[in-house]
Amino acid sequence: TKNNGRNGYNFFQPSMNTLAQSQLQLNNDLWQALDNQELRLFYQPKYCAPSGPILGFEALLRWQHPTRGLLAPDIFLPIAEKTGMIVNIGNWVIDEACRQLHMWHLQGHPHWSVAVNLSAVQFEQSGLVETVQAALAKHQIPAELLTLEVTETTAMRDPEESVRILTELTRMGVKASIDDFGTGYSSLLYLKRLPASELKIDRAFVNELQAHSEDATIVSAIVALAQSLNLKVVAEGVETADQQAFLTGLGCNTLQGYLLGKPLPPERISELPNFVDA
Ligand code: C2E
Ligand code: CA
Ligand code: CA
Ligand code: CA
């Protein structure tokens, strides 16, 4: 068995190196990606349930890699988070989302909002308020049309600090949304104190809504909690008409998911159903 352990060690060593090398290569490529404009934002619509107008979009990062094709954020954001490059990328995302919002205004959609995801490192970085302010000013965007999505886990890492950061941001007029809600461990006391205007129910609960009645119970509880705290509640990952009906029945009025629209590059969003202004 000592031998097996040794063999196991010897067997895994090369593949670990290969993985590390490929991560390193991706990290180098990522610096180029920013310079070479290979990063793109896709936009997924948020609909007013059940078949209402588009309220706005969530910006989702993609990397058009020169040799590997279109990469999803799970592939490269964890590395960027480790190296700190996420701050540069995140700043670009905020600016680009505001630029797109301005384009939509010019195209006759002045009520659409855009939501941007913030990583933990970016959220805790001291220049965030200035970055947001600068992007809003540069693209002449009313602050209330920008939502910043922070995961429950990020927000609860240092709850006092999160209250402070979100207070500063929301004072400007931007909105805050607590993302992936239900997957972390929120203290209700802090949840109440966070100046957020929205909770997003994580896809994991919406997914299994039909299969497991516990998930239906959890989702009902989250909707009730949001309503009692005066928060808007958004369900993500809606894939079936049954899920949509169930959520709507609970009073969850903003829906996002493949059933309603997948994330699309901006030049393709006119293909979406109900492509009308709110
Ligand atoms: P998230 O914020 O929870 O975003 C929702 C994810 O679910 C997105 O994956 C979206 O494409 C996917 N999705 C939406 N509707 C459905 C559905 O009906 N079914 C299924 N199966 N999936 C659906 P994506 O775009 O791969 O993004 C993954 C995560 O990467 C995001 O999770 C977010 O945490 C992060 N992310 C994306 N863009 C950014 C960014 O610009 N900055 C930062 N810091 N993180 C980002
Ligand atoms: Ca999100
Ligand atoms: Ca999620
Ligand atoms: Ca997430």
Side-chain angles (χ1 to χ4, degrees):
T1 49
K2 232 183 191 171
N3 241 343
N4 272 346
R6 191 174 273 266
N7 283 340
Y9 179 79
N10 285 336
F11 177 74
F12 281 108
Q13 188 68 3
S15 70
M16 291 292 283
N17 276 335
T18 312
L19 182 67
Q21 261 166 23
S22 115
Q23 296 281 85
L24 195 68
Q25 186 57 49
L26 215 52
N27 181 42
N28 291 336
D29 290 355
L30 199 48
W31 280 109
Q32 301 283 317
L34 258 180
D35 291 341
N36 297 348
Q37 297 174 310
E38 292 162 13
L39 297 183
R40 304 210 54 190
L41 291 181
F42 277 35
Y43 295 89
Q44 185 177 34
K46 291 181 179 179
Y47 279 95
C48 182
S51 55
I54 294 174
L55 300 171
F57 296 84
E58 177 177 3
L60 294 160
L61 189 60
R62 299 290 181 264
W63 179 6
Q64 188 63 60
H65 190 282
T67 55
R68 300 188 199 202
L70 192 67
L71 300 182
D74 298 343
I75 310 282
F76 58 92
L77 279 188
I79 315 169
E81 186 98 4
K82 262 186 225 143
T83 63
M85 206 195 314
I86 188 71
V87 174
N88 304 63
I89 294 174
N91 289 350
W92 176 82
V93 169
I94 292 169
D95 183 74
E96 175 62 18
C98 289
R99 194 190 63 80
Q100 184 59 55
L101 208 46
H102 183 72
M103 296 294 287
W104 286 331
H105 286 191
L106 296 179
Q107 292 163 11
H109 304 287
H111 303 300
W112 281 354
S113 60
V114 74
V116 163
N117 292 285
L118 297 184
S119 81
V121 173
Q122 194 187 1
F123 180 62
E124 287 157 8
Q125 175 247 349
S126 60
L128 179 63
V129 172
E130 287 75 18
T131 301
V132 171
Q133 219 150 23
L136 293 171
K138 177 178 166 194
H139 301 288
Q140 301 162 280
I141 302 300
E144 63 271 18
L145 295 185
L146 179 67
T147 298
L148 302 173
E149 295 192 1
V150 178
T151 67
E152 180 185 18
T153 306
T154 297
M156 289 301 150
R157 241 157 66 146
D158 182 347
E160 289 287 356
E161 183 65 2
S162 297
V163 170
R164 192 191 64 73
I165 298 169
L166 286 181
T167 301
E168 232 186 306
L169 286 165
T170 53
R171 235 180 234 149
M172 258 192 265
V174 302
K175 301 214 166 112
S177 171
I178 308 301
D179 205 359
D180 293 356
F181 192 79
T183 61
Y185 299 90
S186 278
S187 147
L188 289 184
L189 187 69
Y190 281 113
L191 188 61
K192 200 177 154 196
R193 287 185 50 209
L194 282 178
S197 56
E198 178 184 288
L199 290 185
K200 283 187 92 166
I201 305 173
D202 193 61
R203 178 150 61 85
F205 301 108
V206 176
N207 258 349
E208 312 267 312
L209 219 42
Q210 298 312 308
H212 301 285
S213 61
E214 308 101 74
D215 283 319
T217 309
I218 292 169
V219 170
S220 315
I222 295 175
V223 174
L225 176 70
Q227 285 169 345
S228 73
L229 293 174
N230 235 333
L231 298 168
K232 222 175 74 178
V233 58
V234 182
E236 67 171 24
V238 180
E239 293 183 356
T240 70
D242 284 347
Q243 291 164 356
Q244 183 183 36
F246 182 84
L247 289 159
T248 310
L250 287 180
C252 176
N253 286 323
T254 307
L255 304 178
Q256 206 183 338
Y258 291 172
L259 177 72
L260 302 145
K262 289 193 173 178
L264 292 171
E267 64 272 15
R268 286 190 53 199
I269 61 159
S270 58
E271 295 168 18
L272 290 166
N274 276 350
F275 186 73
V276 291
D277 206 344

